[in-house]
Amino acid sequence: MTPPSRSLIRPGVTVDVIQKQHQSSGQLTRGVVSALLTSSASHPHGIKVRLTSGVVGRVQAVVTPER
């Protein structure tokens, strides 16, 4: 699975991130983006963000609301 590009991620969007300490287990954390920390358009491991909870991680997926 390819992580989403920076153009799809902005403050207020709900995402699933992987924190550095959970890289080996693959445990994801869901939250709302507070700030983008990666300035490039893409990154092979995901765009680094800070969530409103203070968690920092790399975005693995953008969560779309169910209809």
Side-chain angles (χ1 to χ4, degrees):
M1 178 171 77
T2 304
S5 66
R6 191 174 196 277
S7 63
L8 299 174
I9 305 165
R10 60 187 183 285
V13 171
T14 302
V15 295
D16 286 333
V17 301
I18 190 162
Q19 297 177 61
K20 189 165 187 80
Q21 66 267 29
H22 295 144
Q23 284 177 343
S24 60
S25 70
Q27 179 183 344
L28 297 176
T29 304
R30 184 164 288 183
V32 177
V33 176
S34 170
L36 282 80
L37 304 176
T38 299
S39 59
S40 62
S42 66
H43 189 280
H45 300 294
I47 300 298
K48 189 182 280 188
V49 297
R50 178 177 296 112
L51 303 179
T52 54
S53 63
V55 169
V56 173
R58 294 195 178 272
V59 176
Q60 300 302 297
V62 174
V63 179
T64 55
E66 295 188 25
R67 298 175 187 213

